[in-house]
Amino acid sequence: MGEPLRVGMVGAGKISGQYLDTIAKLDTLRLTAVTDLDADRAGEAAERSGAQVAGSVAELVARDDVDAVLNLTIPAVHAEVALAAIAAGKHVYGEKPLATTREEAAAILAAARAAGVRVGSAPDTVLGTGTQTARKAVDDGLIGRPVAATAFMTTAGHEAWHPDPEFYYRPGGGPLLDMGPYYLSALVHLLGPVVKVTGAASTPRAEREIGSGPRAGERFAVEVDTHVTGVLEHAGGALSTLVMSFDIHAAHLPRIEVHGTAGSLSVPDPNGFDGPVELFAAGGSWQPLPVSAGYRGAGRGTGLADLADAVADGRPHLASAELAEHVLDVMLTLLDSAHAGQALPVASSCERPAPVA
């Protein structure tokens, strides 16, 4: 085994703890530096991981002991941080979405190609045993030819538990750009890229109220659609029905189901790495499938670890920027369709990602 990939982390907010847990378990990754707008948070993460605190993004990306930048900032600055890292000759792995606009996403990919560095993007949950076992069932023909899928993410909103939830309700947020990457990445793994979408969207409440933390009771404006629904046409002909909502208090809806000519498949929550996969074969009944594919025991940061392995092995990494760019384009086109009131083609495409054995 070669030297570990040395990682500099930008952003030490709530999600960073899960990444720190994963990095600590792996010999292929080593956190060397961390920076955050909140110096106390950066200090806590550094103390926990044995890394050093960098005073700014510019200082972190310039360090000789940083090979790759882990970008855990808010969506509005994903592109800014990624481009700074690429300009410094560093690989980048970032939280979802890749960027908030198509132009930013294209700029990241172009800069990375020119610099000869890798860019990866969450979600990496699709590399776990849940989605990958379901994908193997599809690839093995257990449901016949896929004809349809459903994907539902319903909640009353993140302001109930997040102490600073405003960014979820500003451009780059909303249920689609926040949670959609998990579901759409899973659907592309299962059924391939999307070629056309038909969408509808609404914003039932103009304001939200913070429900926890020191700012509980404060109200803030909602600037994005908070209920989005649509139909996605995949390149292979299957049609997926999607609902992403911050306006539903409770539901009995499944996370993801895939239906084919010979049966149906129940897929676990794509916001997690594992979970039960169930198969209904025509004329039979629902039966659990044994784990048959995917990274076992995976956690947030598995995609970064795969990128490190891919760099060492000279192969493509699985949580790719190309997939993330396509997913972003699908989401933005779905919103464009909702506002235009008509079906729209998806301009981008990507290769269906390779499976995880």
Side-chain angles (χ1 to χ4, degrees):
M1 185 182 69
E3 293 296 316
L5 190 74
R6 298 169 298 178
V7 178
M9 186 173 76
V10 181
K14 292 181 73 70
I15 195 66
S16 66
Q18 296 183 47
Y19 280 90
L20 293 176
D21 287 343
T22 298
I23 291 172
K25 297 174 184 176
L26 299 173
D27 295 332
T28 55
L29 299 174
R30 179 162 64 90
L31 191 71
T32 56
V34 59
T35 190
D36 190 279
L37 292 175
D38 185 326
D40 290 338
R41 291 199 310 197
E44 290 170 5
E47 183 177 357
R48 173 177 170 180
S49 61
Q52 294 184 334
V53 174
S56 66
V57 173
E59 180 183 325
L60 183 140
V61 301
R63 292 176 64 107
D64 292 335
D65 62 351
V66 170
D67 305 313
V69 171
L70 175 58
N71 184 4
L72 304 183
T73 56
I74 62 173
V77 294
H78 280 181
E80 177 184 340
V81 173
L83 290 170
I86 293 167
K90 313 297 185 181
H91 305 299
V92 181
Y93 184 88
E95 256 302 324
K96 47 76 192 168
L98 175 65
T100 59
T101 69
R102 298 179 181 89
E103 292 76 16
E104 288 177 342
I108 291 170
L109 266 70
R113 285 192 290 267
V117 299
R118 305 278 189 121
V119 177
S121 179
D124 52 4
T125 50
V126 293
L127 306 181
T129 56
T131 298
Q132 290 298 318
T133 293
R135 176 188 174 144
K136 188 173 189 304
V138 172
D139 291 349
D140 288 349
L142 299 188
I143 62 168
R145 177 175 57 85
V147 296
T150 57
F152 301 110
M153 192 294 300
T154 60
T155 177
H158 294 343
E159 71 276 12
W161 57 269
H162 200 291
D164 298 294
E166 288 94 333
F167 72 93
Y168 288 116
Y169 298 89
R170 291 173 179 163
L176 185 60
L177 266 69
D178 176 44
M179 297 300 294
Y182 298 106
Y183 290 78
L184 287 166
S185 296
L187 289 173
V188 173
H189 269 268
L190 292 164
L191 299 172
V194 178
V195 297
K196 186 169 70 174
V197 299
T198 304
S202 65
T203 308
R205 287 181 279 167
E207 287 188 336
R208 298 270 175 148
E209 182 176 312
I210 300 175
S212 65
R215 300 173 57 214
E218 288 186 28
R219 300 188 67 81
F220 60 91
V222 175
E223 302 175 27
V224 295
D225 295 311
T226 54
H227 185 92
V228 182
T229 183
V231 176
L232 320 174
E233 181 179 331
H234 295 267
L239 300 177
S240 291
T241 300
L242 184 77
V243 175
M244 300 280 116
S245 183
F246 284 169
D247 291 294
I248 295 177
H249 288 278
H252 289 296
L253 296 166
R255 298 296 188 176
I256 295 178
E257 290 182 347
V258 183
H259 308 284
T261 54
S264 294
L265 200 63
S266 175
V267 185
D269 185 353
N271 192 20
F273 287 87
D274 51 21
V277 178
E278 294 186 314
L279 172 70
F280 184 96
S285 60
W286 287 105
Q287 298 293 331
L289 291 179
V291 170
S292 59
Y295 285 113
R296 290 179 181 268
R300 311 275 172 173
T302 293
L304 175 60
D306 178 81
L307 186 150
D309 291 342
V311 169
D313 297 341
R315 63 166 173 85
H317 55 285
L318 295 176
S320 71
E322 289 76 15
L323 171 60
E325 181 187 35
H326 178 60
V327 166
L328 175 65
D329 190 25
V330 172
M331 294 189 296
L332 295 177
T333 305
L334 187 62
L335 292 173
D336 290 344
S337 170
H339 299 151
Q342 63 181 26
L344 292 175
V346 177
S348 69
S349 189
C350 69
E351 294 293 328
R352 187 182 179 209
V356 181

